[in-house]
Amino acid sequence: MISVLMPMNELKEKIRRLCTDAGFSNARFSRAGILKEEAKYLRQWLDENRHGGMSWMDSSYGKRTDPAAVMSDAKTVISLSYNYDTPYEHSQSQDVPKISRYAWGTRDYHKILKGKLRKLCADIERISEAINCRYYTDDGPVMDKAWAVRSGLGWMGKNTNVIDKDSGSFFFIATILMNAEIEPDRAVEDLCRECTLCVSACPTGAIYDEYKVDSNLCISYQTIENRSDKITEIDLHGWIFGCDICQDVCPFNRPGTFSTDEHFIPNRLVFNKTYDELLQMSESGFKETFAGTPVMRAKYAGWMRNLRKARSELKR
Ligand code: B12
Ligand code: SF4
Ligand code: SF4
């Protein structure tokens, strides 16, 4: 056991304040340990090949389900939320293809959050020499959502996004593993109850059961992660990078809680542009426009593949 010369509650409040001062909307704590129940669900999901071509999800199974395999002396997991919603809306014109909200801006959220997390962890470690932290956001072998749910940052929605009752689900999750012990927070109630709006709104049937998404059928997976030349499994329904449908219909995503981070304000070079305008973009134009943004993950070939497919589905 490491010794931090400060009462546990005082340490918790101090860390929580550092997290909100760093720009995170909320910070909640869990006791590090094996994710037994969640591991069962993950195993079944992998065995049924619901992860499509994301083989890294399977190869990191051991680490994902046990924080000690990532940081041997991990005692506490800190779950943080970072809001990315803005007051802008998707165009209703069928000539305008859709990019998901998280990718509208001018900077990749991994870069924004990693910069903040680096500084935040240095500040936490400065409280005592005995404290060590490791941080991730999307990019690590940790189950960001499972920890967020355990800590009460939100509950797991039937669309498999973590939802906060006041601010909805348009937030990223960051996860910090820490070797100091902190009193854990409690999980919150699942408020989905009888609602199934997301399940019926998903146009491809990707939410094959409540709380379960098949990546192979998910527009987000196909437009961002699928590396093949053609998408044969599903129609894109006007989406060319990610998909927001199952979150846009969620009653907890009421407009009002917007990000104060200007990096998420839509990039005027691409926001609400038509297929014709976007299809004219050359590879160098693509790189210039999207350098440092999440859209680069699709690469030019994937971007053009998505645009052409979504356009070919239009009924004229
Ligand atoms: C793989 C992945 C994907 C895949 C698979 C999606 C998925 N549902 O897992 C694809 C590419 C499709 C994807 C898409 C998106 N993603 Co993604 N993705 C991830 C990643 C890397 C791992 C998630 C994971 O562990 N999946 C494995 C499966 C088994 O987990 P699960 O679906 O959560 O399953 C749990 C529940 O279903 C539950 N469960 C199972 N059965 C039952 C039954 C009952 C009764 C109950 C109550 C629960 C329950 O237990 C399971 C284990 O906890 C995380 C980052 C990370 N490192 O964690 C980001 C992450 C989940 N993605 C994120 C985002 C933003 C998205 C998109 C919204 C992007 C977009 N706009 O296009 C979409 C949303 C699509 C959707 N409806 O889920 C955010 C979510 C933030 C939030 N508020 O929840 C994360 C956390 C990244 C981050 N750090 O911010 N993603
Ligand atoms: S992101 Fe789109 S395709 Fe994927 S589950 Fe949600 S609504 Fe369905
Ligand atoms: S739309 Fe309804 S069922 Fe789906 S996540 Fe939101 S509240 Fe839950």
Side-chain angles (χ1 to χ4, degrees), residues 38 41-42 45 54 56-57 64 84 100 102 109 137-138 140 142-146 156 159-162 169 171-173 211-213 215 218 220-221 225 242-244 246-247:
E38 299 87 338
Y41 287 131
L42 176 61
W45 189 77
M54 297 180 289
W56 41 271
M57 283 294 297
R64 274 178 201 274
Y84 60 84
S100 61
Y102 87 88
Y109 78 90
T137 179
D138 188 50
V142 290
M143 295 184 79
D144 293 336
K145 291 188 287 181
M156 182 72 79
N159 58 13
T160 78
N161 287 284
V162 177
S169 63
F171 60 82
F172 301 115
I173 301 169
Y211 308 98
K212 295 179 182 182
V213 165
S215 305
C218 180
S220 179
Y221 168 77
E225 303 292 341
C243 169
D244 290 334
C246 57
Q247 294 189 87

Short mmCIF file of all heavy atoms in Angstrom, two decimals, residues 38 41-42 45 54 56-57 64 84 100 102 109 137-138 140 142-146 156 159-162 169 171-173 211-213 215 218 220-221 225 242-244 246-247, ligand 1:
data_model
loop_
_atom_site.label_atom_id
_atom_site.label_comp_id
_atom_site.label_asym_id
_atom_site.label_seq_id
_atom_site.Cartn_x
_atom_site.Cartn_y
_atom_site.Cartn_z
N GLU A 38 -18.55 -7.67 -17.05
CA GLU A 38 -18.31 -7.02 -18.32
C GLU A 38 -17.43 -7.91 -19.22
O GLU A 38 -17.59 -7.93 -20.44
CB GLU A 38 -17.62 -5.66 -18.11
CG GLU A 38 -18.42 -4.66 -17.31
CD GLU A 38 -18.20 -4.78 -15.78
OE1 GLU A 38 -17.77 -5.86 -15.32
OE2 GLU A 38 -18.48 -3.80 -15.08
N TYR A 41 -19.56 -10.38 -21.11
CA TYR A 41 -20.22 -9.76 -22.27
C TYR A 41 -19.22 -9.53 -23.40
O TYR A 41 -19.53 -9.76 -24.57
CB TYR A 41 -20.86 -8.43 -21.88
CG TYR A 41 -22.11 -8.55 -21.04
CD1 TYR A 41 -22.25 -7.80 -19.88
CD2 TYR A 41 -23.15 -9.38 -21.43
CE1 TYR A 41 -23.41 -7.89 -19.11
CE2 TYR A 41 -24.30 -9.48 -20.65
CZ TYR A 41 -24.42 -8.73 -19.51
OH TYR A 41 -25.56 -8.82 -18.76
N LEU A 42 -18.04 -9.05 -23.04
CA LEU A 42 -17.02 -8.79 -24.06
C LEU A 42 -16.61 -10.09 -24.75
O LEU A 42 -16.50 -10.15 -25.98
CB LEU A 42 -15.79 -8.11 -23.43
CG LEU A 42 -14.60 -7.86 -24.35
CD1 LEU A 42 -14.96 -6.95 -25.53
CD2 LEU A 42 -13.42 -7.24 -23.57
N TRP A 45 -19.27 -11.18 -27.18
CA TRP A 45 -19.28 -10.25 -28.32
C TRP A 45 -18.15 -10.60 -29.29
O TRP A 45 -18.33 -10.66 -30.50
CB TRP A 45 -19.14 -8.84 -27.74
CG TRP A 45 -19.31 -7.67 -28.63
CD1 TRP A 45 -20.47 -7.14 -29.09
CD2 TRP A 45 -18.26 -6.79 -29.11
NE1 TRP A 45 -20.22 -6.00 -29.83
CE2 TRP A 45 -18.88 -5.76 -29.85
CE3 TRP A 45 -16.87 -6.77 -28.99
CZ2 TRP A 45 -18.17 -4.73 -30.48
CZ3 TRP A 45 -16.16 -5.75 -29.60
CH2 TRP A 45 -16.81 -4.76 -30.33
N MET A 54 -11.79 -5.52 -36.13
CA MET A 54 -11.00 -4.88 -35.06
C MET A 54 -10.35 -5.96 -34.19
O MET A 54 -10.69 -6.15 -33.02
CB MET A 54 -11.91 -3.96 -34.21
CG MET A 54 -12.50 -2.80 -35.00
SD MET A 54 -13.56 -1.72 -34.01
CE MET A 54 -14.99 -2.76 -33.75
N TRP A 56 -7.65 -6.10 -32.75
CA TRP A 56 -6.99 -5.60 -31.53
C TRP A 56 -7.92 -5.65 -30.31
O TRP A 56 -7.47 -5.69 -29.18
CB TRP A 56 -6.46 -4.17 -31.75
CG TRP A 56 -7.39 -3.28 -32.53
CD1 TRP A 56 -7.43 -3.13 -33.89
CD2 TRP A 56 -8.45 -2.43 -32.02
NE1 TRP A 56 -8.43 -2.24 -34.25
CE2 TRP A 56 -9.06 -1.79 -33.12
CE3 TRP A 56 -8.91 -2.15 -30.73
CZ2 TRP A 56 -10.13 -0.90 -32.99
CZ3 TRP A 56 -9.97 -1.26 -30.59
CH2 TRP A 56 -10.56 -0.64 -31.71
N MET A 57 -9.22 -5.69 -30.55
CA MET A 57 -10.15 -5.80 -29.41
C MET A 57 -9.98 -7.17 -28.74
O MET A 57 -10.08 -7.29 -27.53
CB MET A 57 -11.61 -5.64 -29.87
CG MET A 57 -12.06 -4.24 -30.17
SD MET A 57 -12.11 -3.14 -28.73
CE MET A 57 -13.33 -3.89 -27.68
N ARG A 64 -7.87 -5.57 -21.22
CA ARG A 64 -9.12 -4.80 -21.15
C ARG A 64 -9.95 -5.15 -19.92
O ARG A 64 -10.66 -4.32 -19.38
CB ARG A 64 -9.99 -5.07 -22.39
CG ARG A 64 -9.63 -4.17 -23.52
CD ARG A 64 -10.37 -4.37 -24.81
NE ARG A 64 -9.53 -3.79 -25.83
CZ ARG A 64 -9.55 -2.50 -26.15
NH1 ARG A 64 -10.42 -1.69 -25.62
NH2 ARG A 64 -8.70 -2.02 -27.04
N TYR A 84 -18.54 17.19 -26.19
CA TYR A 84 -18.18 17.70 -27.53
C TYR A 84 -19.37 18.25 -28.30
O TYR A 84 -19.25 18.58 -29.48
CB TYR A 84 -17.46 16.64 -28.35
CG TYR A 84 -18.26 15.37 -28.62
CD1 TYR A 84 -19.17 15.29 -29.68
CD2 TYR A 84 -18.08 14.24 -27.84
CE1 TYR A 84 -19.88 14.12 -29.93
CE2 TYR A 84 -18.79 13.07 -28.08
CZ TYR A 84 -19.68 13.02 -29.13
OH TYR A 84 -20.39 11.87 -29.38
N SER A 100 -20.26 12.60 -38.37
CA SER A 100 -20.78 12.62 -37.00
C SER A 100 -20.21 13.79 -36.21
O SER A 100 -19.12 14.28 -36.49
CB SER A 100 -20.55 11.28 -36.30
OG SER A 100 -19.19 11.04 -36.23
N TYR A 102 -18.82 14.34 -33.44
CA TYR A 102 -17.53 14.39 -32.74
C TYR A 102 -16.39 14.74 -33.70
O TYR A 102 -15.32 15.14 -33.27
CB TYR A 102 -17.27 13.05 -32.02
CG TYR A 102 -16.62 11.97 -32.84
CD1 TYR A 102 -15.23 11.88 -32.92
CD2 TYR A 102 -17.37 11.03 -33.55
CE1 TYR A 102 -14.62 10.89 -33.67
CE2 TYR A 102 -16.77 10.04 -34.29
CZ TYR A 102 -15.40 9.98 -34.35
OH TYR A 102 -14.79 9.00 -35.10
N TYR A 109 -9.96 14.68 -31.15
CA TYR A 109 -10.16 14.71 -29.70
C TYR A 109 -9.08 13.95 -28.94
O TYR A 109 -8.76 14.26 -27.79
CB TYR A 109 -11.57 14.20 -29.33
CG TYR A 109 -11.77 12.70 -29.36
CD1 TYR A 109 -11.54 11.92 -28.23
CD2 TYR A 109 -12.23 12.04 -30.49
CE1 TYR A 109 -11.75 10.55 -28.22
CE2 TYR A 109 -12.44 10.67 -30.51
CZ TYR A 109 -12.20 9.92 -29.37
OH TYR A 109 -12.40 8.57 -29.39
N THR A 137 -7.58 7.54 -23.52
CA THR A 137 -8.92 7.93 -23.98
C THR A 137 -9.15 7.25 -25.32
O THR A 137 -8.48 7.56 -26.30
CB THR A 137 -9.11 9.46 -24.05
OG1 THR A 137 -10.43 9.72 -24.53
CG2 THR A 137 -8.10 10.17 -24.95
N ASP A 138 -9.95 6.23 -25.34
CA ASP A 138 -10.26 5.46 -26.53
C ASP A 138 -9.09 4.58 -26.99
O ASP A 138 -9.31 3.50 -27.51
CB ASP A 138 -10.67 6.42 -27.67
CG ASP A 138 -11.20 5.70 -28.90
OD1 ASP A 138 -12.08 4.85 -28.73
OD2 ASP A 138 -10.74 5.99 -30.02
N GLY A 140 -6.52 3.08 -25.39
CA GLY A 140 -5.80 2.12 -24.55
C GLY A 140 -6.53 0.81 -24.41
O GLY A 140 -7.71 0.69 -24.74
N VAL A 142 -8.19 -0.49 -22.23
CA VAL A 142 -9.06 -0.39 -21.05
C VAL A 142 -10.49 -0.17 -21.53
O VAL A 142 -10.69 0.43 -22.59
CB VAL A 142 -8.65 0.76 -20.10
CG1 VAL A 142 -7.36 0.48 -19.39
CG2 VAL A 142 -8.57 2.09 -20.83
N MET A 143 -11.46 -0.64 -20.75
CA MET A 143 -12.86 -0.50 -21.15
C MET A 143 -13.41 0.81 -20.58
O MET A 143 -13.98 0.85 -19.49
CB MET A 143 -13.67 -1.71 -20.66
CG MET A 143 -13.23 -3.00 -21.33
SD MET A 143 -14.25 -4.42 -20.87
CE MET A 143 -15.70 -4.20 -21.89
N ASP A 144 -13.22 1.87 -21.36
CA ASP A 144 -13.61 3.21 -20.89
C ASP A 144 -15.06 3.24 -20.39
O ASP A 144 -15.36 3.81 -19.35
CB ASP A 144 -13.48 4.24 -22.04
CG ASP A 144 -12.04 4.49 -22.47
OD1 ASP A 144 -11.13 4.27 -21.67
OD2 ASP A 144 -11.83 4.92 -23.63
N LYS A 145 -15.97 2.61 -21.17
CA LYS A 145 -17.40 2.69 -20.81
C LYS A 145 -17.71 1.90 -19.55
O LYS A 145 -18.47 2.35 -18.70
CB LYS A 145 -18.27 2.18 -21.96
CG LYS A 145 -18.27 3.07 -23.18
CD LYS A 145 -19.30 2.63 -24.20
CE LYS A 145 -18.91 1.38 -24.93
NZ LYS A 145 -19.90 0.95 -25.94
N ALA A 146 -17.12 0.70 -19.44
CA ALA A 146 -17.41 -0.15 -18.28
C ALA A 146 -17.00 0.56 -16.99
O ALA A 146 -17.74 0.56 -15.99
CB ALA A 146 -16.68 -1.48 -18.42
N MET A 156 -25.11 2.76 -18.89
CA MET A 156 -24.97 2.22 -20.24
C MET A 156 -26.34 2.29 -20.91
O MET A 156 -27.28 1.62 -20.48
CB MET A 156 -24.48 0.77 -20.15
CG MET A 156 -24.26 0.10 -21.48
SD MET A 156 -22.81 0.72 -22.33
CE MET A 156 -21.50 -0.12 -21.47
N ASN A 159 -28.32 1.97 -26.53
CA ASN A 159 -27.53 2.17 -27.75
C ASN A 159 -26.04 1.94 -27.49
O ASN A 159 -25.20 2.18 -28.35
CB ASN A 159 -27.75 3.58 -28.32
CG ASN A 159 -27.39 4.69 -27.34
OD1 ASN A 159 -26.76 4.44 -26.32
ND2 ASN A 159 -27.78 5.92 -27.65
N THR A 160 -25.70 1.50 -26.28
CA THR A 160 -24.35 1.21 -25.79
C THR A 160 -23.46 2.44 -25.65
O THR A 160 -22.23 2.32 -25.62
CB THR A 160 -23.60 0.09 -26.59
OG1 THR A 160 -23.11 0.63 -27.81
CG2 THR A 160 -24.45 -1.13 -26.84
N ASN A 161 -24.07 3.63 -25.55
CA ASN A 161 -23.29 4.81 -25.19
C ASN A 161 -23.58 5.14 -23.72
O ASN A 161 -24.70 4.92 -23.25
CB ASN A 161 -23.68 6.00 -26.07
CG ASN A 161 -23.16 5.84 -27.48
OD1 ASN A 161 -21.97 6.03 -27.72
ND2 ASN A 161 -24.02 5.47 -28.39
N VAL A 162 -22.59 5.68 -23.04
CA VAL A 162 -22.79 6.05 -21.63
C VAL A 162 -23.51 7.40 -21.59
O VAL A 162 -23.12 8.35 -22.28
CB VAL A 162 -21.43 6.12 -20.88
CG1 VAL A 162 -21.64 6.58 -19.44
CG2 VAL A 162 -20.74 4.77 -20.92
N SER A 169 -25.29 12.04 -23.93
CA SER A 169 -24.17 11.13 -24.22
C SER A 169 -23.11 11.69 -25.16
O SER A 169 -22.17 10.99 -25.51
CB SER A 169 -24.71 9.81 -24.80
OG SER A 169 -25.35 10.06 -26.03
N PHE A 171 -20.38 12.98 -25.07
CA PHE A 171 -19.10 13.28 -24.40
C PHE A 171 -18.14 12.12 -24.61
O PHE A 171 -18.55 10.98 -24.78
CB PHE A 171 -19.31 13.57 -22.90
CG PHE A 171 -19.93 12.44 -22.12
CD1 PHE A 171 -19.17 11.37 -21.65
CD2 PHE A 171 -21.30 12.44 -21.83
CE1 PHE A 171 -19.74 10.34 -20.90
CE2 PHE A 171 -21.88 11.41 -21.08
CZ PHE A 171 -21.10 10.36 -20.62
N PHE A 172 -16.85 12.46 -24.62
CA PHE A 172 -15.81 11.43 -24.67
C PHE A 172 -15.53 11.00 -23.24
O PHE A 172 -15.78 11.75 -22.29
CB PHE A 172 -14.52 12.00 -25.27
CG PHE A 172 -14.68 12.53 -26.65
CD1 PHE A 172 -14.50 13.88 -26.91
CD2 PHE A 172 -15.03 11.70 -27.70
CE1 PHE A 172 -14.66 14.39 -28.19
CE2 PHE A 172 -15.20 12.20 -28.99
CZ PHE A 172 -15.01 13.55 -29.22
N ILE A 173 -14.96 9.81 -23.14
CA ILE A 173 -14.57 9.31 -21.82
C ILE A 173 -13.05 9.16 -21.77
O ILE A 173 -12.46 8.61 -22.71
CB ILE A 173 -15.23 7.94 -21.53
CG1 ILE A 173 -16.75 8.06 -21.61
CG2 ILE A 173 -14.80 7.41 -20.17
CD1 ILE A 173 -17.48 6.72 -21.61
N TYR A 211 -28.63 -2.98 -25.52
CA TYR A 211 -27.28 -2.93 -24.96
C TYR A 211 -26.26 -3.72 -25.79
O TYR A 211 -25.20 -4.06 -25.29
CB TYR A 211 -27.24 -3.44 -23.50
CG TYR A 211 -28.26 -2.78 -22.59
CD1 TYR A 211 -29.47 -3.41 -22.31
CD2 TYR A 211 -28.01 -1.54 -22.03
CE1 TYR A 211 -30.41 -2.82 -21.48
CE2 TYR A 211 -28.95 -0.93 -21.21
CZ TYR A 211 -30.15 -1.58 -20.93
OH TYR A 211 -31.07 -0.98 -20.11
N LYS A 212 -26.58 -4.01 -27.05
CA LYS A 212 -25.65 -4.80 -27.86
C LYS A 212 -25.56 -4.28 -29.29
O LYS A 212 -26.58 -4.18 -29.97
CB LYS A 212 -26.09 -6.28 -27.88
CG LYS A 212 -26.00 -6.89 -26.50
CD LYS A 212 -26.43 -8.32 -26.47
CE LYS A 212 -26.35 -8.81 -25.02
NZ LYS A 212 -26.69 -10.19 -24.85
N VAL A 213 -24.35 -3.95 -29.73
CA VAL A 213 -24.16 -3.42 -31.08
C VAL A 213 -23.24 -4.35 -31.88
O VAL A 213 -22.17 -4.74 -31.39
CB VAL A 213 -23.55 -1.99 -31.04
CG1 VAL A 213 -23.00 -1.57 -32.39
CG2 VAL A 213 -24.60 -0.98 -30.57
N SER A 215 -20.74 -4.46 -34.71
CA SER A 215 -19.93 -3.50 -35.49
C SER A 215 -20.11 -3.72 -37.00
O SER A 215 -20.14 -2.75 -37.76
CB SER A 215 -18.45 -3.66 -35.14
OG SER A 215 -18.28 -3.52 -33.76
N CYS A 218 -22.79 -1.67 -38.17
CA CYS A 218 -22.82 -0.28 -37.68
C CYS A 218 -22.14 0.65 -38.68
O CYS A 218 -21.00 0.43 -39.10
CB CYS A 218 -22.13 -0.21 -36.32
SG CYS A 218 -22.12 1.44 -35.62
N SER A 220 -20.95 3.49 -38.20
CA SER A 220 -19.74 4.08 -37.63
C SER A 220 -18.53 3.17 -37.92
O SER A 220 -17.49 3.63 -38.39
CB SER A 220 -19.95 4.26 -36.12
OG SER A 220 -18.80 4.79 -35.54
N TYR A 221 -18.70 1.89 -37.66
CA TYR A 221 -17.60 0.95 -37.94
C TYR A 221 -17.26 0.93 -39.43
O TYR A 221 -16.09 1.04 -39.82
CB TYR A 221 -17.97 -0.47 -37.49
CG TYR A 221 -17.00 -1.50 -38.00
CD1 TYR A 221 -15.75 -1.67 -37.42
CD2 TYR A 221 -17.31 -2.28 -39.13
CE1 TYR A 221 -14.83 -2.57 -37.92
CE2 TYR A 221 -16.40 -3.19 -39.64
CZ TYR A 221 -15.16 -3.33 -39.03
OH TYR A 221 -14.24 -4.22 -39.54
N GLU A 225 -13.66 2.35 -39.53
CA GLU A 225 -12.69 1.29 -39.22
C GLU A 225 -12.49 0.28 -40.35
O GLU A 225 -11.44 -0.35 -40.42
CB GLU A 225 -13.12 0.51 -37.96
CG GLU A 225 -13.29 1.38 -36.71
CD GLU A 225 -11.97 1.95 -36.20
OE1 GLU A 225 -10.90 1.42 -36.55
OE2 GLU A 225 -12.03 2.96 -35.47
N GLY A 242 -18.71 8.10 -39.43
CA GLY A 242 -19.41 7.91 -38.16
C GLY A 242 -20.92 8.01 -38.35
O GLY A 242 -21.41 8.11 -39.49
N CYS A 243 -21.64 7.96 -37.25
CA CYS A 243 -23.11 8.01 -37.30
C CYS A 243 -23.61 8.47 -35.94
O CYS A 243 -23.10 8.03 -34.91
CB CYS A 243 -23.64 6.61 -37.64
SG CYS A 243 -25.42 6.42 -37.44
N ASP A 244 -24.60 9.35 -35.94
CA ASP A 244 -25.15 9.88 -34.67
C ASP A 244 -26.60 9.48 -34.45
O ASP A 244 -27.21 9.92 -33.47
CB ASP A 244 -25.11 11.43 -34.67
CG ASP A 244 -23.69 11.98 -34.58
OD1 ASP A 244 -22.82 11.28 -34.05
OD2 ASP A 244 -23.47 13.11 -35.05
N CYS A 246 -28.45 6.93 -33.38
CA CYS A 246 -28.97 6.36 -32.12
C CYS A 246 -28.76 7.29 -30.93
O CYS A 246 -29.34 7.07 -29.87
CB CYS A 246 -28.38 4.97 -31.86
SG CYS A 246 -26.59 4.92 -31.79
N GLN A 247 -27.95 8.33 -31.10
CA GLN A 247 -27.80 9.32 -30.02
C GLN A 247 -28.71 10.53 -30.28
O GLN A 247 -29.25 11.11 -29.34
CB GLN A 247 -26.37 9.79 -29.92
CG GLN A 247 -25.42 8.68 -29.47
CD GLN A 247 -24.05 9.23 -29.18
OE1 GLN A 247 -23.76 9.68 -28.08
NE2 GLN A 247 -23.19 9.21 -30.19
C1 B12 B 1 -14.87 -0.77 -30.26
C2 B12 B 1 -15.48 0.62 -30.16
C3 B12 B 1 -16.44 0.98 -31.09
C4 B12 B 1 -17.06 -0.02 -32.09
C5 B12 B 1 -18.06 -0.92 -31.33
C6 B12 B 1 -19.13 -0.13 -30.55
C7 B12 B 1 -19.48 -0.73 -29.20
N1 B12 B 1 -20.75 -0.64 -28.84
O1 B12 B 1 -18.62 -1.24 -28.47
C8 B12 B 1 -17.66 0.93 -33.16
C9 B12 B 1 -16.61 1.17 -34.24
C10 B12 B 1 -18.94 0.44 -33.82
C11 B12 B 1 -17.83 2.21 -32.34
C12 B12 B 1 -18.74 3.21 -32.68
C13 B12 B 1 -18.93 4.35 -31.92
N2 B12 B 1 -18.16 4.81 -30.93
CO1 B12 B 1 -16.73 3.73 -30.14
N3 B12 B 1 -15.49 2.77 -29.15
C14 B12 B 1 -15.05 1.51 -29.14
C15 B12 B 1 -14.05 1.23 -28.00
C16 B12 B 1 -12.63 1.26 -28.59
C17 B12 B 1 -14.26 -0.10 -27.24
C18 B12 B 1 -15.72 -0.36 -26.80
C19 B12 B 1 -15.90 -1.76 -26.27
O2 B12 B 1 -15.25 -2.14 -25.32
N4 B12 B 1 -16.76 -2.56 -26.93
C20 B12 B 1 -16.96 -3.94 -26.58
C21 B12 B 1 -18.43 -4.22 -26.31
C22 B12 B 1 -18.64 -5.65 -25.77
O3 B12 B 1 -18.75 -3.32 -25.28
P1 B12 B 1 -20.15 -2.58 -25.15
O4 B12 B 1 -20.88 -2.43 -26.38
O5 B12 B 1 -19.85 -1.37 -24.36
O6 B12 B 1 -20.87 -3.69 -24.28
C23 B12 B 1 -21.20 -3.49 -22.92
C24 B12 B 1 -22.70 -3.35 -22.74
O7 B12 B 1 -23.34 -3.71 -23.89
C25 B12 B 1 -22.97 -4.21 -21.55
N5 B12 B 1 -24.00 -5.21 -21.80
C26 B12 B 1 -24.00 -6.27 -22.58
N6 B12 B 1 -25.15 -6.93 -22.48
C27 B12 B 1 -25.90 -6.27 -21.58
C28 B12 B 1 -27.18 -6.52 -21.12
C29 B12 B 1 -27.73 -5.64 -20.18
C30 B12 B 1 -29.08 -5.91 -19.65
C31 B12 B 1 -26.97 -4.50 -19.75
C32 B12 B 1 -27.55 -3.52 -18.75
C33 B12 B 1 -25.69 -4.26 -20.25
C34 B12 B 1 -25.17 -5.17 -21.15
O8 B12 B 1 -21.79 -4.93 -21.20
C35 B12 B 1 -20.81 -4.78 -22.19
C36 B12 B 1 -19.46 -4.69 -21.50
O9 B12 B 1 -19.38 -3.55 -20.63
C37 B12 B 1 -14.32 2.46 -27.04
C38 B12 B 1 -13.07 3.01 -26.31
C39 B12 B 1 -12.59 2.11 -25.20
N7 B12 B 1 -11.31 1.89 -25.13
O10 B12 B 1 -13.38 1.64 -24.40
C40 B12 B 1 -14.93 3.52 -27.98
C41 B12 B 1 -16.13 4.39 -27.49
C42 B12 B 1 -17.09 3.40 -26.85
N8 B12 B 1 -16.70 4.94 -28.69
C43 B12 B 1 -17.20 6.09 -28.50
C44 B12 B 1 -17.96 6.79 -29.50
C45 B12 B 1 -18.16 8.29 -29.28
C46 B12 B 1 -18.48 6.10 -30.60
C47 B12 B 1 -19.53 6.62 -31.61
C48 B12 B 1 -20.61 7.48 -30.97
C49 B12 B 1 -18.80 7.43 -32.73
C50 B12 B 1 -19.72 7.90 -33.85
N9 B12 B 1 -20.44 8.98 -33.67
O11 B12 B 1 -19.76 7.30 -34.89
C51 B12 B 1 -20.09 5.29 -32.19
C52 B12 B 1 -21.32 4.80 -31.42
C53 B12 B 1 -21.88 3.51 -31.95
C54 B12 B 1 -22.65 2.75 -30.87
N10 B12 B 1 -23.98 2.78 -30.92
O12 B12 B 1 -22.02 2.16 -29.98
C55 B12 B 1 -16.99 6.62 -27.08
C56 B12 B 1 -18.33 6.54 -26.29
C57 B12 B 1 -18.55 7.69 -25.32
C58 B12 B 1 -19.81 7.48 -24.52
N11 B12 B 1 -20.41 8.57 -24.06
O13 B12 B 1 -20.27 6.37 -24.28
C59 B12 B 1 -15.84 5.62 -26.56
C60 B12 B 1 -15.93 5.29 -25.08
C61 B12 B 1 -14.51 6.32 -26.89
C62 B12 B 1 -14.14 7.35 -25.81
N12 B12 B 1 -13.13 7.07 -25.00
O14 B12 B 1 -14.78 8.38 -25.69
N13 B12 B 1 -17.02 2.23 -31.27
#
